[in-house]
C-alpha cells in the first residue's frame, strides 16, 4: 500500500523523509517521490520509479537546499502505471500546492472533467492530481486570511468521495503541513520543535514515540511548534497523545506477528476495496472500468480459457464454476505452465483470462504471449497495477487488494474471487442473467466483509484445532463444486507453510484410490458448506468416519448433525453458493497459519519459495 511521511521542524527535512520512506518500503510500492520547500518559496521535487534507493540516487549531486519542511510518498499504483509522472507528490498547474495521497478518490473522473472544462491540463493519470488542482482553485477563490490554505484543503475534501490519507504543502504558507484522513490511516508525530506526519508509525518511530492518530473526516494543520485538528464540518477537536509501545518490526505488521496474519485480517477491507464503486445494485450490474471499452468484444466471447499459477490457478478454477453457472460461458482452466506447451485448440471468439497477483509470473506471461500469437483476445485479473501482465493483456480488471508481502497468498486470492464474481455479473448480464440475479449476487458480495469478520472472530477455536493436529504426518483435503478448488488451496497452504504433505481431491474422487490411505492417523479437512452438493460430501464424511479417520469439517452455521462424524467443526455463515469459497478459505488460512506457527516455521518466507516466480 502507499506510504506517506512528512516533516516540519528545525532539522533538514530531506534525509529524514528519505529515511522515513525506507522504513515504509516493507509495505510494497513501485515508485516514490519527495518535495521540500524553503521559506523563500523555493521548491525541490524528485520522483523515481523503483526502489527508494533510486530516488536517493537521483537526489545525490543535485543542488538541494536544506529546508525543514517536506512531504514524501511511496506509491503502489491504483490509477495509471508506475512511472515518474504518476509518482507523488502531485501539484497544481502553477506548482504552488503539493499533495501526497493514499487511498482512492472514487469521484475523481467527474472532478477531473469539471477541472478540464475550466481549462486545467492534467500531467498524470492519477486520481490524486485532482486534489492539487482543486486546492489551488479554492485557495485562489478565497480572500487572504491566516487559515486560507487550511480552508482550501478542507473545501476540497468536502467535494471528495472515497478514501484518503493526505499531506499537503504550499509555497504560499511554507510553515505548515495540512493532513487529513478518511479510511486511510494517518498520524501526527510530536517532537521537540518539530512534528511529523505519517501513514504508518514505523516511518517515524525513531524520531518520537508520542503520536496522535487522526480519525476519519479530520483535518490537521501541523506546524513546527504545534498543531490543531478540526473535523471536516468545522468542529475543533482535542486529543491526548498516545505512546507507541511496539518496536518498528511490530508496527510494520500493525501488531501482528507475521504479514500472513495481518493480511488474513485485512480480508474484510480487501473485499470492500475490490468492490468499491463497481456495483450498480439497482441495475444488477457491475461497472468495471478496465473492461468497459472491451464490452463489444466480451459480448461475443464464446469460450474462456483461464491461465494462472499456484493460488491464482485455484482462483481460476472457482471462476470457471461461476462463469459457467451464471454467465453460461464454456470455461476451462489451465496451469499456465501447461498452456504454454500443449497445443490448445481454439474456436471462434475465445478469450484467454490470465489471473495473477504480481502480474509478473513467467509462465502466465508466456501463456498470454502464446494466446496473442494465435490471435486470441487476452484479459488480466491482476493486483499489481502497471505490471507486465497488466500491460501485455488487451484489457483487464485490477484487484485493489494492496501489496501482499507474505509469500503465501491470502488476501489476494480472496480479491481474485471477488473480482471473478464481479466479472461473472458483467458477462452474465450481457447474456441471460436476470436483473434479479445480478442484484442478488451484488447484494451478497456487499455482505461479505461482515461475514468474514464473523469467521475471523473464531480464531481461538481454530488455534485449539491447530494444537491438536500440528504433528500430523499428512492430510487429505476434500471439497466439491465451488469448494473443490478450495481443497487444492488448502493443500497448497499445508504444503508451503506447514510442510505437511497434503493430498487434495474433489471429494467424489476419494473412492478411486485415496480412501485406501484412511486410518486413525490420517486426518481429513472437509470443506462442506450446506449447499447443493452437501449430501454428496456428507457421504464422504461418513465413509472417512467409518474408517476412523479424524475429520476437521468446515460447514454452515447451525449444522449440528455433522458433529456426529467430525471431531472438529468450524462454522461459516450462510451466503450464496458461488461465494462460499470466500468464507470457507478464511478458516483454512487461519488453521494453516497457526499450525505453521506452532511448528516454529518462518511463515512469511517459507523455505525454497519465492513470492513472485519470474523464471520458468
Ligand atoms: C508463487 C507464490 C504463490 C502464487 C503464485 C502465482 O508460487 O508463492 O503464492 O500464487 O506464485 O503468483 P501470481 O503473482 O502470478 O499470482
Amino acid at each position: 500500500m502507499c506510504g506517506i511521511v512528512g516533516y516540519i521542524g528545525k532539522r533538514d527535512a530531506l534525509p529524514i523523509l528519505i529515511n522515513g520512506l525506507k522504513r515504509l518500503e516493507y509495505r510494497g510500492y513501485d515508485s516514490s517521490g519527495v518535495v521540500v520547500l524553503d521559506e523563500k518559496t523555493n521548491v525541490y521535487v524528485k520522483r523515481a520509479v523503483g526502489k527508494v534507493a533510486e530516488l536517493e540516487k537521483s537526489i545525490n549531486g543535485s543542488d538541494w537546499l536544506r529546508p525543514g519542511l517536506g512531504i514524501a510518498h511511496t506509491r503502489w499504483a491504483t490509477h495509471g502505471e508506475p512511472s515518474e509522472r504518476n509518482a507523488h507528490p502531485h501539484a497544481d498547474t502553477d506548482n504552488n500546492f503539493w499533495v501526497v495521497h493514499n487511498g482512492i478518490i472514487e469521484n475523481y473522473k467527474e472532478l477531473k472533467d469539471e477541472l478540464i472544462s475550466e481549462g486545467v491540463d492534467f500531467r498524470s493519470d492519477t486520481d490524486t492530481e485532482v486534489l492539487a488542482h482543486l486546492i489551488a482553485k479554492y485557495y485562489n477563490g478565497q480572500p487572504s486570511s491566516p487559515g486560507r490554505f487550511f480552508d482550501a484543503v478542507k473545501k476540497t475534501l468536502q467535494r471528495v468521495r472515497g478514501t484518503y490519507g493526505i499531506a499537503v504543502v504550499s509555497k504560499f504558507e511554507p510553515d505548515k503541513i495540512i493532513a487529513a484522513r478518511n479510511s486511510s490511516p494517518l498520524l501526527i508525530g510530536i517532537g521537540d520543535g518539530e512534528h511529523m506526519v505519517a501513514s504508518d508509525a514505523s516511518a517515524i518511530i525513531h524520531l518520537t514515540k508520542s503520536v496522535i492518530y487522526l480519525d476519519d473526516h479530520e483535518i490537521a494543520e501541523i506546524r513546527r511548534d504545534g498543531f490543531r485538528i478540526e473535523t471536516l464540518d468545522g468542529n475543533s477537536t482535542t486529543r491526548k497523545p498516545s505512546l507507541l509501545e511496539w518496536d518498528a518490526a511490530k508496527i510494520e505488521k500493525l501488531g501482528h506477528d507475521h504479514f500472513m496474519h495481518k493480511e488474513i485480517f485485512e480480508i474484510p477491507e480487501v473485499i470492500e476495496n475490490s468492490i468499491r464503486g463497481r456495483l450498480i445494485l439497482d441495475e444488477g450490474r457491475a461497472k468495471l472500468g478496465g473492461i468497459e471499452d472491451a464490452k463489444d468484444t466480451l459480448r461475443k466471447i464464446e469460450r474462456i480459457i483461464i491461465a494462472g499459477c499456484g493460488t491464482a490457478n485455484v482462483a481460476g478454477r472457482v471462476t470457471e464454476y461461476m462463469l459457467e453457472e451464471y454467465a453460461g460461458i464454456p470455461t476451462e482452466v489451465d496451469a499456465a505452465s501447461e498452456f504454454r506447451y500443449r497445443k490448445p485448440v481454439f474456436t471462434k471468439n475465445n478469450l484467454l483470462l490470465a489471473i495473477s497477483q504480481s502480474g509478473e509470473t513467467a509462465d502466465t506471461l508466456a501463456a498470454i504471449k502464446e494466446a496473442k500469437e494465435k490471435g486470441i483476445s487476452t484479459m488480466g485479473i491482476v493486483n499489481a497495477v502497471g505490471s507486465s501482465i497488466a500491460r501485455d493483456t488487451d484489457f483487464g480488471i485490477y484487484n485493489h487488494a494492496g501489496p501482499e508481502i507474505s509469500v503465501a497468498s491470502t488476501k489476494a486470492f480472496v480479491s481474485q474471487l471477488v473480482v471473478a464474481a464481479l466479472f461473472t455479473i458483467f458477462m452474465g448480464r450481457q447474456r441471460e442473467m436476470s436483473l434479479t440475479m445480478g442484484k442478488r449476487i451484488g447484494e451478497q458480495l456487499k455482505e461479505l466483509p461482515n461475514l468474514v469478520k464473523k469467521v475471523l472472530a473464531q480464531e481461538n477455536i481454530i488455534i485449539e484445532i491447530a494444537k491438536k493436529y500440528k504433528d500430523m504426518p499428512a492430510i487429505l483435503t476434500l471439497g466439491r463444486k465451488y469448494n473443490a478448488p478450495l481443497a487444492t488451496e488448502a493443500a497448497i497452504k499445508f504444503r508451503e507453510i506447514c510442510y505437511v504433505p497434503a493430498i487434495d481431491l474433489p471429494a467424489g474422487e476419494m473412492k478411486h484410490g485415496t480412501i485406501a490411505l484412511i486410518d486413525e492417523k490420517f486426518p481429513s479437512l472437509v470443506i462442506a458448506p450446506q449447499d447443493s452438493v452437501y449430501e454428496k460430501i456428507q457421504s464422504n464424511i461418513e465413509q472417512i468416519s467409518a474408517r476412523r479417520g479424524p475429520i476437521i469439517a468446515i460447514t454452515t452455521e447451525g449444522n449440528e448433525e455433522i458433529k456426529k462424524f467430525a471431531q472438529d467443526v468450524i462454522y461459516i455463515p450462510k451466503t450464496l453458493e458461488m461465494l462460499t469459497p470466500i468464507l470457507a478459505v478464511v478458516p483454512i488460512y487461519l488453521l494453516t497459519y497457526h499450525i505453521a506457527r506452532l511448528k516454529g516455521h518462518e511463515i512469511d518466507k517459507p523455505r525454497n519459495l519465492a513470492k513472485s516466480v519470474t523464471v520458468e
Side-chain angles (χ1 to χ4, degrees):
M1 219 74 74
C2 305
I4 289 176
V5 58
Y7 176 84
I8 183 160
K10 52 200 173 189
R11 295 191 260 173
D12 286 348
L14 190 59
I16 293 175
L17 295 173
I18 297 291
N19 187 350
L21 290 183
K22 286 186 176 164
R23 290 166 168 268
L24 293 172
E25 283 192 301
Y26 76 92
R27 296 164 65 99
Y29 66 103
D30 46 51
S31 50
S32 62
V34 60
V35 56
V36 292
L37 293 90
D38 70 11
E39 273 147 24
K40 295 188 201 85
T41 67
N42 292 308
V43 178
Y44 303 89
V45 196
K46 285 281 177 192
R47 303 186 194 88
V49 175
K51 296 278 160 212
V52 173
E54 297 300 320
L55 179 72
E56 208 177 7
K57 246 194 264 165
S58 74
I59 292 165
N60 280 342
S62 307
D63 181 23
W64 285 76
L65 290 188
R66 299 287 173 230
L69 169 67
I71 52 176
H73 190 257
T74 48
R75 174 172 188 251
W76 165 268
T78 59
H79 293 82
E81 55 170 22
S83 62
E84 230 176 281
R85 60 190 280 277
N86 285 334
H88 301 208
H90 290 287
D92 64 307
T93 310
D94 298 326
N95 296 334
N96 290 328
F97 299 91
W98 294 87
V99 183
V100 293
H101 164 225
N102 291 355
I104 296 175
I105 308 295
E106 281 176 38
N107 59 338
Y108 90 99
K109 280 215 176 89
E110 62 194 69
L111 295 172
K112 190 168 175 173
D113 289 346
E114 172 187 314
L115 289 158
I116 289 172
S117 74
E118 290 166 8
V120 172
D121 274 337
F122 277 77
R123 294 182 282 205
S124 76
D125 309 317
T126 64
D127 51 340
T128 304
E129 195 183 336
V130 298
L131 298 177
H133 292 297
L134 278 178
I135 293 167
K137 170 174 157 172
Y138 291 126
Y139 185 89
N140 294 333
Q142 280 177 59
S144 182
S145 76
R148 190 168 167 192
F149 174 28
F150 183 85
D151 290 343
V153 179
K154 197 159 92 181
K155 233 171 158 176
T156 297
L157 295 177
Q158 283 161 349
R159 302 259 346 252
V160 158
R161 216 173 50 238
T163 57
Y164 54 80
I166 57 163
V168 196
V169 288
S170 170
K171 235 163 132 173
F172 297 138
E173 299 185 26
D175 59 344
K176 63 193 63 136
I177 301 172
I178 308 295
R181 99 158 233 172
N182 184 33
S183 297
S184 187
L186 211 59
L187 52 96
I188 301 171
I190 305 165
D192 181 14
E194 57 183 7
H195 285 90
M196 304 107 228
V197 59
S199 53
D200 175 329
S202 56
I204 57 165
I205 192 171
H206 57 300
L207 300 173
T208 182
K209 296 232 184 275
S210 176
V211 300
I212 301 248
Y213 292 94
L214 284 187
D215 280 340
D216 281 350
H217 311 294
E218 282 186 345
I219 173 165
E221 179 187 275
I222 305 160
R223 298 175 312 276
R224 249 178 178 221
D225 54 359
F227 58 88
R228 68 184 172 102
I229 305 174
E230 268 188 21
T231 57
L232 276 189
D233 46 23
N235 297 315
S236 65
T237 56
T238 48
R239 197 97 39 72
K240 267 206 181 144
S242 320
L243 207 62
L244 293 174
E245 279 166 5
W246 296 332
D247 62 11
K250 191 129 178 164
I251 283 170
E252 286 176 0
K253 297 177 191 123
L254 293 177
H256 297 268
D257 288 333
H258 300 93
F259 282 111
M260 181 177 174
H261 195 256
K262 171 174 170 274
E263 286 159 6
I264 296 170
F265 277 80
E266 279 170 1
I267 288 174
E269 190 189 327
V270 162
I271 299 173
E272 274 168 19
N273 288 341
S274 297
I275 59 177
R276 176 169 294 118
R278 290 170 158 181
L279 277 173
I280 307 175
L281 272 189
D282 358 326
E283 296 174 24
R285 274 199 312 121
K287 192 173 131 224
L288 299 161
I291 59 172
E292 287 306 316
D293 287 347
K295 239 184 190 153
D296 294 336
T297 309
L298 288 169
R299 198 185 301 278
K300 290 189 211 117
I301 291 300
E302 290 170 15
R303 173 169 164 248
I304 298 179
I305 305 140
I306 301 178
C309 298
T311 291
N313 181 275
V314 177
R317 286 173 50 204
V318 181
T319 311
E320 175 189 8
Y321 283 92
M322 290 185 185
L323 284 170
E324 293 200 327
E325 182 163 5
Y326 288 95
I329 306 171
T331 305
E332 62 199 77
V333 189
D334 238 336
S337 53
E338 283 300 306
F339 180 87
R340 68 187 291 192
Y341 288 117
R342 74 183 171 95
K343 189 175 168 298
V345 177
F346 300 109
T347 49
K348 231 174 88 200
N349 295 325
N350 288 182
L351 172 75
L352 179 90
L353 172 59
I355 304 184
S356 173
Q357 187 284 127
S358 63
E360 302 295 346
T361 301
D363 284 327
T364 313
L365 264 168
I368 294 164
K369 210 168 150 212
E370 190 56 29
K372 284 191 140 176
E373 196 64 38
K374 301 282 186 290
I376 290 167
S377 299
T378 55
M379 171 178 159
I381 293 181
V382 174
N383 194 30
V385 174
S387 56
S388 304
I389 294 177
R391 280 184 278 120
D392 282 6
T393 39
D394 300 329
F395 42 84
I397 312 170
Y398 284 123
N399 294 30
H400 294 318
E404 196 175 58
I405 310 283
S406 156
V407 166
S409 185
T410 55
K411 65 174 186 172
F413 175 72
V414 170
S415 75
Q416 285 159 351
L417 299 191
V418 170
V419 169
L422 292 169
F423 181 55
T424 302
I425 300 177
F426 185 98
M427 296 297 271
R429 293 288 284 134
Q430 283 191 332
R431 292 166 176 78
E432 281 168 23
M433 184 190 287
S434 66
L435 178 126
T436 320
M437 183 47 80
K439 235 172 152 171
R440 187 142 172 250
I441 302 173
E443 278 162 4
Q444 293 286 312
L445 273 170
K446 286 204 142 176
E447 290 290 309
L448 285 175
N450 281 334
L451 302 185
V452 169
K453 283 182 195 158
K454 279 176 124 180
V455 183
L456 290 170
Q458 298 178 62
E459 185 175 26
N460 285 338
I461 298 170
I462 295 169
I463 292 174
E464 291 311 309
I465 301 174
K467 285 181 189 160
K468 269 171 76 175
Y469 291 88
K470 76 175 181 34
D471 296 319
M472 64 190 164
I475 188 164
L476 173 65
T477 60
L478 299 173
R480 276 191 104 118
K481 204 174 170 185
Y482 282 100
N483 291 296
L486 265 206
T488 305
E489 177 57 3
I492 291 178
K493 291 295 176 283
F494 277 119
R495 296 192 293 257
E496 74 178 334
I497 60 168
C498 307
Y499 311 148
V500 170
I503 302 168
D504 54 300
L505 284 179
E509 287 294 293
M510 185 182 85
K511 54 190 172 292
H512 302 291
T514 313
I515 195 167
L517 293 176
I518 290 176
D519 63 18
E520 66 276 11
K521 290 193 220 67
F522 186 41
S524 299
L525 172 77
V526 190
I527 307 148
Q530 286 178 307
D531 55 13
S532 63
V533 286
Y534 178 69
E535 276 172 25
K536 305 280 169 205
I537 203 157
Q538 192 185 17
S539 75
N540 291 102
I541 292 173
E542 287 176 25
Q543 284 161 19
I544 298 168
S545 170
R547 287 159 185 79
R548 299 192 311 277
I551 296 170
I552 309 166
I554 297 174
T555 190
T556 312
E557 273 171 1
N559 181 359
E560 291 299 319
E561 215 205 336
I562 203 166
K563 289 186 174 159
K564 278 195 230 151
F565 307 102
Q567 287 67 20
D568 296 286
V569 182
I570 305 166
Y571 289 104
I572 58 168
K574 196 159 180 50
T575 183
L576 214 57
E577 180 171 289
M578 71 180 263
L579 303 177
T580 50
I582 294 175
L583 298 180
V585 84
V586 176
I588 292 171
Y589 287 157
L590 284 175
L591 180 66
T592 49
Y593 168 81
H594 281 291
I595 290 177
R597 191 192 158 113
L598 289 164
K599 293 175 106 172
H601 294 170
E602 212 189 311
I603 296 177
D604 289 330
K605 288 194 181 115
R607 66 187 184 204
N608 308 338
L609 296 179
K611 179 72 185 152
S612 184
V613 184
T614 53
V615 289
E616 194 178 345

